[in-house]
């Protein structure tokens, strides 16, 4: 079963760079993109059209920008960590901020990683490759992040 | 062998064993019966008659104690017949009724030892005749050889005994009732009797507790010894002793006693005692009185009723100059001045009638000098209250008389003095008031005597002056120039001396004042001193005013100096309000807060201050004007009499007004007004300056706030630079790269190179932004200084930064770098920048070589970074540390021109310095100098 990545990003270019890098890195994942913090929460909550989990599955990984319209990235992260069912959800921050306070705060709230957006497509590819290698190949995901079919198979 | 009968002292017959050669008179010889009794039979017969006729019971016993013969008195007394008794052992008489053990033992003794005894009291209860007390005499008589008899007389003393008992009881009762202590001691000294008084005198409740005790328990050992060694021999000799002693009570206390001791026949003592404590006290107090009289400083003389001197104490001697011997026996009148004799004689009658009398008279001393004496005659009575004479106490009042005269003279002086002289008691009630005071204050003595002195105080003056004139502290005489109110209400300037009146015991009973009108003199005499003082005050004030203060404090401080100097209690300081045409009360004293609130704001032209502000002219107002001008009702309502309001003008600009006012002074003199004007000029200058300063401070505060605001904006700016400005750069660069990667083949000619240039330019811009952000962060960030292990830090930087790690082999650290005082983040920034530069700025094809070492400079340490780079021109040593400054290297060296500026700032923020030694083309030695921890 294909893994789902939820990308929370309002910058169209960055979405493009990531999609390109995923393709180049040969990551076969269902990339779901939401444009602001509130949409991310709606998606995870399964609100409105997101209630259809076959179309909008629970993601294996969330890539979260910090500077977002309406609800900021850190608020989304905080919300996620307050939901019992998403306590184990893998959330990586992907932002252009190098501010110490942002980095520290993200980890304090419960980010699983903090990545600064690179300024070249080559670097972006490296990042995506290391995510693929680490999170999807070496790392064992928590049950919440596993695709639904795998869960059924184990039963 | 003849029977000899002798009569005892008590006239009772005694029978004794006759002895050979006894020369006592025989019966025959005594009675002259020698001839008549020559015949033995006759003698016996006579003896029988005598015995039978004796009223004394007599019985003759043989050696076995059998009754041989008894006389009639015996039978009669004991109700026996000769038949019953004769030849019957006495102990078996009446079936053993006579078996009296004591008697039996007595008789046995008599028989065995041939002794006699007499007056032996035997008490026995006879069955028939009841209790009898018998005085028993027994005598062994040897009538024939080997044949012993006992002559036994048994005098029945029962009757007598009873009588004696009664008498004794009566006597004892009277003894018990006696106030004197009466006791009997037996020969050994033990008590056999003590009456109640005796016991009580010694402090014993019950006389019986004394019985059997030895008298010595009642005395101290010394006293006992005295009795034994001195008193007892006298009693032995004289049979009695009378004297005094000190005895000991049961509770251990001692008391003086009088006692008489009489020896009694039995060898014991009758002891009569009396407690003489009281008498002793009396005697002592008499003695003391006598001593007092003798030593009295008063002349004390006693006279008999004829007026003749009987005693004469030392003081009398001193007063009159005569010794006691010279005057005792002479009439008192001999010491009296002739013109006083008659009066003295008249006064001498009073004591004879039991009355005392005091009078003044004049006496003549031995040296002829006349003295005034105050004399008291008092009757003298004896202990029974009988008049027996006159005591005379005299005191020399010559001095006193003189004082009285002086006082009268002083009073006259006071009364006629030009100065006001008056006194008050401790409650400030006027007790004296001379003519001068009447003239000065207009009050007559009758007006003020008995009233409180406050009536001559101007309103509000009393409290102020009372505090100043605390009589109980400071000198006893005080001087002040003050103001008093006349009867007509006008005020008068007075110079006043005030002193305490102290009674002979040293207690303050009031105060006296001497006041002089100085209204006229005051100006003339005090003007110069005041001028000098005011000049000094002005100088001080000028100095003070120039130090930075609030406008309110300026005027408050100067008022504290001006108030006592000019005599004002009130000031009002108005400042021109923001509106410009009103004045607002800035500071005040001497008026209540309510009033202050009422007069807080005036439009220009309103009230005195408003008018002064509008006209920019001072207003000087006197009492008369206050009283008569309707528009001055505010002043009048506050009781203000004198008022001076000046405008405060500095540099031609009106700042406000300053008024000084007094409720006491009637007006301000020209001099006062001048002085106040000067003060106001000073205040105007100082307040103008203070207001400017206040304004300035306000402006600084406002600017600081604005600055804070811009700093906040800058922070927001930095954040947005990081996020938003870098995003398009990133996009530019990334798309350029993508274009290169994905469409390189379609590009022709210089296309790919241009895309490279776009990408590089975007990258450079990105680095610039990063460096600027770092630089501003370093400038603003709080830097905490702490010890840092530089060696560890440098090695860690080399290993951590990729562009340094690549060249780690080219970097040599000489020795161990020291610990320094700094901040790890700042130093990391410095070291990475310096090393980055050293690696970057090498000539093409040259491998970088870098050496790092430290140099100890005492309190500081210098760390050198030596490279083999392109070097720096000497003229640029300073400039290269400036922001956006670059060396002379060509465009082939990338860089933002901010790296060294960051190093400089970072080092400076931790208290260090940075520098470079270099020659173009010969490498550089950068150094940073840091404090040791």
């Amino acid at each position: 079963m294909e893994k789902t990545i939820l990308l929370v990003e309002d910058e169209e270019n960055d979405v493009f760079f990531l999609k390109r890098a995923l393709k180049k890195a040969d990551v076969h994942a269902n990339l779901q993109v939401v444009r602001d913090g509130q949409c991310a929460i709606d998606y995870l909550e399964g609100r409105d059209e997101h209630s259809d989990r076959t179309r909008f599955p629970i993601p294996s990984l969330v890539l979260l920008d910090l500077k977002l319209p309406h609800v900021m990235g850190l608020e989304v992260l905080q919300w996620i960590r307050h939901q019992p069912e998403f306590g184990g959800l893998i959330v990586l921050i992907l932002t252009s901020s190098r501010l110490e306070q942002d980095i520290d705060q993200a980890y304090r709230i419960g980010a699983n990683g903090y990545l600064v957006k690179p300024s070249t497509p080559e670097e972006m590819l490296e990042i995506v490759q290391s995510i693929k290698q680490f999170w999807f190949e070496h790392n064992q995901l928590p049950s919440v992040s596993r695709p639904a079919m795998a869960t059924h198979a184990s039963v | 062998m003849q029977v000899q009968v002798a009569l005892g002292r008590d006239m009772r017959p005694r029978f004794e064993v006759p002895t050979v050669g006894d020369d006592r008179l025989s019966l025959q010889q005594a009675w002259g019966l020698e001839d008549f009794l020559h015949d033995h039979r006759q003698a016996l017969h006579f003896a029988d008659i005598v015995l039978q006729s004796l009223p004394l019971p007599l019985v003759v016993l043989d050696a076995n104690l059998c009754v041989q013969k008894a006389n009639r008195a015996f039978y009669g007394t004991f109700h026996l017949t000769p038949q019953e008794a004769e030849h019957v052992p006495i102990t078996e008489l009446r079936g053993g009724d006579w078996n009296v053990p004591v008697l039996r033992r007595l008789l046995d003794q008599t028989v065995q030892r041939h002794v006699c005894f007499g007056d032996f009291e035997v008490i026995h209860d006879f069955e028939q005749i009841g209790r009898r007390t018998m005085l028993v005499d027994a005598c062994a008589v040897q009538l024939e050889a080997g044949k012993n008899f006992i002559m036994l007389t048994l005098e029945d003393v029962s009757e007598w005994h009873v009588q004696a008992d009664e008498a004794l009881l009566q006597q004892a009762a009277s003894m018990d009732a006696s106030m004197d202590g009466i006791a009997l001691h037996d020969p050994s000294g033990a008590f056999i009797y003590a009456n109640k008084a005796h016991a009580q005198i010694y402090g014993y409740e019950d006389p019986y507790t004394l019985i059997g005790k030895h008298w010595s328990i009642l005395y101290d050992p010394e006293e006992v010894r005295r009795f034994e060694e001195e008193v007892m021999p006298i009693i032995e000799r004289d049979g009695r002793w009378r004297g005094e002693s000190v005895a000991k009570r049961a509770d251990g206390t001692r008391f003086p006693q009088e006692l008489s001791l009489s020896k009694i026949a039995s060898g014991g003592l009758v002891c009569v005692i009396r407690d003489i404590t009281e008498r002793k006290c009396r005697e002592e107090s008499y003695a003391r009185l006598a001593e007092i009289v003798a030593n009295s400083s008063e002349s004390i003389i006693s006279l008999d009723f004829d007026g003749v001197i009987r005693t004469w104490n030392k003081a009398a001697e001193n007063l009159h100059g005569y010794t006691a011997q010279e005057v005792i026996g002479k009439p008192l009148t001999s010491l009296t001045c002739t013109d006083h004799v008659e009066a003295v004689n008249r006064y001498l009658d009073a004591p004879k009638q039991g009355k005392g009398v005091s009078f003044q008279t004049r006496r003549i001393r031995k040296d002829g000098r006349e003295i005034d004496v105050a004399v008291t005659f008092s009757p003298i009575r004896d202990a029974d209250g009988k008049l027996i004479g006159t005591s005379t106490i005299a005191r020399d009042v010559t001095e006193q008389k003189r004082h009285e005269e002086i006082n009268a003279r002083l009073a006259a002086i006071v009364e006629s003095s030009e100065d006001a002289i008056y006194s008050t008691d401790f409650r400030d009630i006027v007790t004296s008031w001379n003519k001068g005071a009447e003239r000065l204050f207009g009050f007559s003595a009758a007006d003020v005597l008995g009233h409180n002195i406050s009536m001559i105080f101007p309103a509000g003056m009393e409290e102020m002056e009372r505090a100043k004139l605390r009589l109980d502290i400071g000198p006893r005489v005080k001087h002040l120039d003050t103001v008093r109110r006349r009867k007509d209400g006008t005020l008068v300037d007075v110079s006043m001396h005030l002193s305490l009146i102290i009674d002979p015991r040293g207690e303050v009973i009031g105060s006296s004042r001497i006041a002089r009108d100085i209204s006229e003199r005051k100006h003339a005499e005090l003007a110069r001193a005041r001028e000098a003082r005011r000049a000094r005050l002005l100088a001080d004030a000028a100095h003070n005013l120039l130090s930075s203060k609030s406008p309110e404090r300026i005027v408050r401080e100067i008022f504290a100096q001006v108030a006592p100097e000019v005599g004002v209690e009130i000031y009002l300081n108005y400042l021109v309000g923001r509106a410009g045409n009103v004045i607002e009360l800035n500071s005040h004293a001497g008026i209540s807060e309510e009033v202050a609130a009422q007069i807080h704001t005036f439009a220009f032209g309103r009230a005195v201050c408003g008018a002064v502000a509008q006209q920019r002219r001072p207003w000087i107002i006197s009492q008369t004007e206050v009283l008569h001008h309707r528009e001055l009702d505010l002043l009048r309502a506050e009781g203000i009499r004198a008022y001076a309001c000046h405008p405060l003008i500095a540099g031609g600009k009106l700042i406000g007004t300053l008024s000084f006012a007094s409720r006491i002074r009637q007006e301000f003199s020209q001099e006062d007004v001048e002085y106040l004007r000067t003060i106001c000029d000073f205040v105007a200058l100082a307040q103008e300056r203070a207001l400017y300063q206040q304004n300035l401070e306000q402006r600084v505060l406002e600017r600081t706030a604005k600055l804070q605001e811009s700093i906040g904006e800058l922070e927001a700016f930095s954040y947005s630079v990081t996020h938003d400005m870098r995003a398009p750069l990133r996009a530019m660069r990334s798309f350029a790269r993508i274009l290169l990667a994905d469409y390189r083949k379609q590009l022709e000619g210089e296309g790919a190179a241009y895309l490279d240039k776009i990408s590089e330019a975007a990258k450079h811009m990105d680095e610039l932004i990063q460096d600027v952000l770092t630089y501003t962060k370093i400038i603003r960030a709080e830097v905490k200084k702490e010890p840092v292990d530089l060696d560890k830090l440098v090695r860690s930087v080399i290993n951590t930064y990729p562009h340094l790690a690549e060249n780690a082999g080219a970097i040599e650290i000489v020795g161990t770098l020291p610990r320094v005082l700094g901040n790890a983040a700042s130093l990391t920034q410095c070291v990475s920048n310096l090393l980055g530069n050293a690696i970057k700025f090498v000539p093409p094809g040259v491998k970088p070589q870098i050496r790092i070492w430290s140099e100890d400079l005492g309190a500081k340490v210098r760390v050198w970074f030596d490279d083999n780079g392109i070097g720096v021109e000497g003229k640029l040593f300073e400039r290269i540390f400036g922001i956006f400054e670059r060396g002379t290297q060509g465009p082939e060296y990338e860089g933002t021109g901010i790296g060294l500026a960051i190093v400089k700032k970072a080092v400076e923020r931790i208290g260090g310095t940075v520098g470079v030694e270099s020659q173009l083309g010969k490498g550089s030695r950068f150094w940073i100098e840091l404090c040791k921890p």
Side-chain angles (χ1 to χ4, degrees):
Chain A
M1 182 69 195
E2 199 177 43
K3 292 187 177 70
T4 299
I5 297 173
L6 177 62
L7 175 65
V8 188
E9 176 61 77
D10 63 324
E11 185 61 51
E12 203 55 54
N13 289 335
D14 285 331
V15 175
F16 170 77
F17 296 142
L18 185 77
K19 276 184 175 168
R20 183 176 179 272
L22 286 173
K23 204 169 127 194
K24 294 246 172 197
D26 222 9
V27 176
H28 302 287
N30 167 25
L31 182 71
Q32 295 280 346
V33 181
V34 290
R35 304 291 169 177
D36 66 49
Q38 188 54 55
C39 287
I41 292 169
D42 290 347
Y43 181 102
L44 291 170
E45 253 189 336
R47 188 175 293 174
D48 303 332
E49 79 260 49
H50 297 114
S51 61
D52 180 359
R53 282 295 181 213
T54 54
R55 275 180 63 208
F56 304 106
I58 299 292
S60 300
L61 184 74
V62 178
L63 289 170
L64 182 62
D65 190 12
L66 290 184
K67 192 161 177 291
L68 293 167
H70 312 308
V71 180
M72 299 288 273
L74 289 176
E75 290 173 75
V76 175
L77 177 58
Q78 191 145 33
W79 178 88
I80 290 171
R81 293 301 179 227
H82 277 132
Q83 311 310 309
E85 66 267 35
F86 297 135
L89 190 63
I90 305 300
V91 180
L92 301 179
I93 305 296
L94 181 63
T95 177
S96 56
S97 170
R98 289 175 192 275
L99 288 180
E100 231 168 61
Q101 68 221 47
D102 282 344
I103 300 167
D104 292 346
Q105 183 72 4
Y107 279 113
R108 203 173 301 127
I109 294 173
N112 297 88
Y114 192 105
L115 304 166
V116 177
K117 287 175 184 170
S119 36
T120 61
E122 293 83 357
E123 288 170 278
M124 181 53 102
L125 179 59
E126 279 175 32
I127 286 174
V128 169
Q129 279 169 337
S130 55
I131 288 174
K132 178 193 172 195
Q133 203 177 12
F134 181 77
W135 289 107
F136 293 160
E137 291 169 11
H138 298 308
N139 191 57
Q140 292 297 315
L141 292 170
S143 59
V144 63
S145 301
R146 272 180 233 144
M149 284 304 286
T151 313
H152 288 296
S154 70
V155 174
Chain B
M1 186 77 202
Q2 286 185 323
V3 178
Q4 290 187 338
V5 181
L7 289 172
R9 264 204 313 251
D10 52 2
M11 293 308 290
R12 283 185 284 155
R14 290 191 172 277
F15 300 87
E16 296 172 0
V17 178
T19 51
V20 179
D22 189 348
D23 60 0
R24 265 178 280 190
L25 278 177
S26 70
L27 189 66
Q28 294 91 324
Q29 284 168 331
W31 286 7
L33 295 173
E34 271 171 278
D35 293 339
F36 179 66
L37 293 177
H38 61 277
D39 176 71
H40 188 63
R41 238 177 54 89
Q42 275 184 326
L44 278 175
H45 184 63
F46 180 75
D48 186 52
I49 290 166
V50 168
L51 291 177
Q52 288 296 349
S53 62
L54 274 173
L56 180 73
L58 182 145
V59 59
V60 179
L61 307 175
D62 65 12
N64 298 321
L65 303 184
C66 290
V67 176
Q68 294 298 311
K69 196 80 178 163
N71 70 354
R72 276 200 298 276
F74 178 81
Y75 292 126
T77 300
F78 297 108
H79 296 220
L80 286 163
T81 58
Q83 289 76 18
E84 284 176 295
E86 281 177 14
H87 307 295
V88 174
I90 189 161
T91 52
E92 289 170 22
L93 281 176
R94 275 276 164 80
D97 196 15
W98 275 77
N99 190 5
V100 182
V102 181
L103 186 63
R104 174 73 178 271
R105 268 202 307 282
L106 212 69
L107 294 174
D108 285 344
Q109 294 268 318
T110 309
V111 173
Q112 284 163 18
R113 296 194 187 167
H114 289 273
V115 290
C116 294
F117 57 87
D119 285 353
F120 199 94
E121 197 174 81
V122 175
I123 298 168
H124 185 65
D125 289 312
F126 292 99
E127 267 178 24
Q128 196 177 356
I129 57 174
R131 169 174 288 207
R132 291 288 149 161
T133 304
M134 297 166 291
L135 271 181
V136 180
D137 279 36
C139 196
V141 182
Q142 196 169 35
L143 290 176
E144 289 169 42
K147 229 181 173 186
N148 289 330
F149 293 91
I150 293 170
M151 294 279 275
L152 179 69
T153 60
L154 300 146
E155 187 182 4
D156 180 6
V157 293
S158 308
E159 204 65 16
W160 180 75
H161 217 259
V162 168
Q163 283 168 5
D165 278 355
E166 276 173 9
L168 208 62
L169 279 172
Q170 271 177 7
Q171 207 178 339
S174 68
M175 277 156 75
D176 273 347
S178 168
M179 294 294 285
D180 291 337
I182 300 166
L184 291 171
H185 300 157
D186 71 10
S188 74
F191 278 95
I192 50 180
Y193 170 79
N195 71 347
K196 268 198 185 123
H198 194 92
Q200 280 164 0
I201 285 169
Y202 285 103
Y204 294 88
E205 195 54 39
D206 187 349
Y208 292 101
T209 53
L210 284 174
I211 303 301
K213 304 253 169 60
H214 196 267
W215 60 266
S216 61
I217 64 159
L218 301 174
Y219 296 91
D220 285 325
E222 310 88 72
E223 201 65 4
V224 171
R225 204 173 310 121
R226 182 170 84 93
F227 278 117
E228 284 169 348
E229 290 172 5
E230 295 172 22
V231 177
M232 291 310 178
I234 295 171
I235 298 172
E236 277 309 310
R237 190 185 70 209
D238 301 344
R240 59 190 303 183
W241 178 83
R242 205 184 157 103
E244 286 177 10
S245 171
V246 175
K248 191 165 72 177
R249 291 199 188 89
D251 60 9
T253 55
R254 310 295 194 272
F255 68 97
Q257 62 172 196
E258 185 179 68
L259 79 166
S260 113
L261 298 168
S262 309
K263 196 174 177 189
I264 51 171
S266 65
L269 288 173
V270 174
C271 170
V272 179
I273 61 156
R274 181 176 293 174
D275 185 342
I276 55 167
T277 309
E278 239 176 80
R279 200 186 80 199
K280 278 272 173 195
C281 287
R282 213 159 46 235
E283 279 172 10
E284 276 169 27
S285 70
Y286 283 153
R288 265 200 303 278
L289 276 177
E291 202 177 331
I292 289 165
V293 167
N295 294 321
S296 171
S297 59
E298 304 278 327
S299 156
I300 302 173
I301 308 166
S302 69
L303 310 173
D304 63 17
F305 278 142
D306 296 325
V308 173
I309 295 165
R310 289 296 168 207
T311 67
W312 182 260
N313 74 348
K314 194 77 189 157
E317 191 177 317
N318 292 339
L319 181 63
H320 300 90
Y322 293 100
T323 64
Q325 287 95 324
E326 286 170 322
V327 288
I328 287 176
K330 290 186 182 162
L332 179 69
T333 46
S334 67
L335 303 171
T336 308
C337 281
T338 34
D339 48 345
H340 285 79
V341 168
E342 197 191 322
V344 168
N345 277 332
R346 205 168 50 244
Y347 287 128
L348 276 170
D349 282 341
K352 289 179 195 165
Q353 285 144 29
K355 293 179 199 149
V357 62
S358 294
F359 56 97
Q360 285 206 0
T361 182
R362 186 164 289 176
R363 286 186 186 159
I364 310 170
R365 282 174 52 89
K366 189 181 178 184
D367 59 15
R369 193 157 61 83
E370 291 188 0
I371 48 172
D372 287 304
V373 286
V375 177
T376 303
F377 284 162
S378 314
I380 305 174
R381 293 168 193 274
D382 67 7
D384 301 325
K386 212 176 95 203
L387 293 166
I388 54 168
T390 302
S391 77
T392 305
I393 299 175
R395 195 158 39 82
D396 186 353
V397 292
T398 315
E399 274 298 297
Q400 190 183 318
K401 280 223 148 186
R402 208 165 59 82
H403 280 305
E404 279 166 12
E405 278 164 23
I406 289 169
N407 284 346
R409 220 170 297 147
L410 280 174
I413 291 169
V414 165
E415 200 50 32
S416 58
S417 168
E418 279 299 314
D419 289 333
I421 302 174
Y422 56 101
S423 62
T424 56
D425 66 13
F426 64 96
R427 292 166 306 169
D428 289 338
I429 301 301
V430 177
T431 49
S432 75
W433 189 259
N434 76 342
K435 284 274 189 297
E438 290 187 343
R439 273 193 300 274
L440 180 57
F441 300 114
F443 289 102
S444 72
D447 290 335
V448 293
L449 286 178
H451 292 88
N452 196 293
I453 191 66
S454 61
M455 63 198 295
I456 65 163
F457 280 76
M461 188 80 176
E462 200 182 344
E463 282 308 310
M464 208 170 86
E465 216 164 88
R466 197 182 296 282
K468 219 189 299 181
L469 288 178
R470 283 283 303 277
L471 289 170
D472 49 340
I473 51 174
R476 285 190 163 176
V477 179
K478 299 185 186 208
H479 171 259
L480 80 159
D481 286 350
T482 182
V483 182
R484 288 291 179 267
R485 197 164 60 92
R486 291 204 184 89
K487 192 177 184 181
D488 62 10
T490 58
L491 299 181
V492 57
D493 286 313
V494 292
S495 165
M496 183 178 292
H497 282 278
L498 188 144
S499 55
L500 298 182
I501 305 174
I502 296 168
D503 75 359
R505 287 169 301 170
E507 279 176 31
V508 175
I509 55 171
S511 60
S512 73
R513 290 145 220 240
I514 302 175
R516 180 170 292 177
D517 183 350
I518 53 161
S519 311
E520 294 305 315
R521 199 195 70 186
K522 201 175 173 183
H523 293 287
E525 280 190 3
L526 300 180
R528 248 178 58 200
R530 192 168 57 221
E531 255 169 48
R533 196 168 61 239
R534 288 183 176 185
R536 204 165 52 241
L537 276 177
L538 282 175
D540 286 352
H543 174 77
N544 275 331
L545 290 174
L546 288 177
S547 56
S548 176
K549 280 168 194 160
S550 72
E552 194 200 340
R553 214 174 123 198
I554 287 165
V555 72
R556 211 170 50 229
E557 283 181 8
I558 201 141
F559 176 72
Q561 291 179 317
V562 170
E565 182 57 39
V566 182
V568 290
E569 321 92 64
I570 302 166
Y571 83 85
L572 303 170
N573 173 219
Y574 284 90
L575 294 179
V576 176
R578 278 175 191 273
N581 56 354
V582 295
I583 48 171
E584 289 164 358
L585 192 57
N586 169 54
S587 165
H588 63 85
I591 56 165
S592 67
E593 290 304 323
E594 290 79 46
V595 172
Q598 281 168 26
I599 60 171
H600 182 266
T601 310
F602 285 126
F604 275 29
R606 283 283 302 125
V608 177
C609 296
V612 168
Q614 192 177 47
Q615 298 165 6
R616 295 181 164 221
R617 268 193 315 116
W619 277 40
I620 311 301
I621 298 164
S622 73
Q623 177 184 17
T624 330
E625 288 162 329
V626 171
L627 292 174
H628 296 102
H629 286 76
R630 197 189 298 162
E631 61 269 31
L632 299 175
D633 52 349
L634 276 175
L635 302 185
R636 205 160 42 244
E638 274 299 293
I640 290 167
R641 292 160 182 270
Y643 190 82
C645 178
H646 285 85
L648 298 174
I649 298 169
K653 186 181 155 208
L654 180 78
I655 294 166
T657 65
L658 179 54
S659 312
F660 292 101
S662 170
R663 294 188 175 96
I664 297 159
R665 298 200 55 178
Q666 300 171 59
E667 60 183 346
F668 293 121
S669 66
Q670 192 52 42
E671 193 194 5
D672 291 332
V673 172
E674 286 293 311
Y675 179 61
L676 293 177
R677 191 177 57 77
T678 315
I679 292 292
C680 289
D681 287 348
F682 279 13
V683 170
L685 273 170
Q687 285 196 333
E688 199 254 354
R689 198 170 152 276
L691 286 169
Y692 175 75
Q693 204 127 5
Q694 253 185 7
N695 203 2
L696 202 65
E697 277 166 27
Q698 184 59 35
R699 256 184 279 168
V700 167
L701 282 178
E702 282 166 11
R703 280 182 194 171
T704 309
K706 268 188 194 159
L707 212 57
Q708 295 279 353
E709 210 176 307
S710 14
I711 288 172
E713 281 167 10
L714 193 66
E715 272 170 21
F717 170 74
S718 303
Y719 195 79
S720 101
V721 164
T722 315
H723 276 88
D724 301 346
M725 282 174 70
R726 287 185 64 217
L729 274 175
R730 228 175 36 244
M732 282 162 67
R733 197 174 172 206
S734 293
F735 280 116
R737 305 291 300 175
I738 289 168
L739 209 53
L740 273 173
D742 296 356
Y743 300 96
R744 186 178 276 275
K745 283 171 189 159
Q746 281 100 314
L747 289 173
E748 290 174 10
E750 298 290 304
Y754 295 155
L755 280 174
D756 267 335
K757 283 197 188 296
I758 293 172
S759 172
E760 285 309 307
K763 183 188 170 202
H764 184 67
M765 178 86 182
D766 194 26
E767 282 169 357
L768 258 176
I769 291 172
Q770 298 257 33
D771 279 357
V772 168
L773 284 177
T774 308
Y775 183 75
T776 53
K777 203 163 112 188
I778 280 183
I779 291 173
R780 290 196 303 104
E782 291 284 323
V783 176
K784 202 172 138 197
K785 280 202 273 182
E786 56 203 358
V788 175
D789 184 342
L790 196 60
D791 195 77
K792 207 169 139 191
L793 182 133
V794 170
R795 289 174 200 278
S796 148
V797 166
I798 294 168
N799 293 325
T800 315
Y801 284 70
H803 64 291
L804 300 180
E806 282 169 21
N807 294 286
I811 303 170
E812 179 196 356
I813 297 171
V814 182
T816 307
L817 300 177
R819 285 168 69 79
V820 295
L821 192 63
N823 174 277
S826 302
L827 283 169
T828 302
Q829 194 84 52
C830 289
V831 170
S832 67
N833 281 13
L834 286 173
L835 291 176
N837 280 355
I839 285 167
K840 189 161 66 179
F841 296 111
V842 285
V846 176
K847 244 182 102 54
Q849 283 294 323
I850 302 162
R851 286 174 77 240
I852 306 171
W853 74 93
S854 67
E855 183 187 356
D856 194 333
L857 300 175
K860 298 203 166 196
V861 62
R862 185 177 279 195
V863 184
W864 291 90
F865 297 81
D866 179 278
D867 65 44
N868 60 343
I870 54 175
V872 184
E873 259 184 290
K875 61 175 182 183
L876 297 178
F877 285 178
E878 289 292 319
R879 279 178 57 189
I880 54 168
F881 292 104
I883 190 161
F884 298 126
E885 293 290 347
R886 288 166 60 98
T888 47
Q889 73 274 22
E892 67 271 25
Y893 297 102
E894 291 180 6
T896 58
I898 300 174
L900 286 175
I902 290 172
V903 170
K904 186 169 194 283
K905 277 290 165 210
V907 169
E908 281 172 2
R909 291 302 303 273
I910 55 174
T913 48
V914 63
V916 63
E917 286 175 9
S918 179
Q919 263 187 316
L920 200 59
K922 295 193 174 171
S924 309
R925 278 183 184 179
F926 283 87
W927 53 263
I928 54 174
E929 203 171 284
L930 300 164
C931 294
K932 286 184 182 171

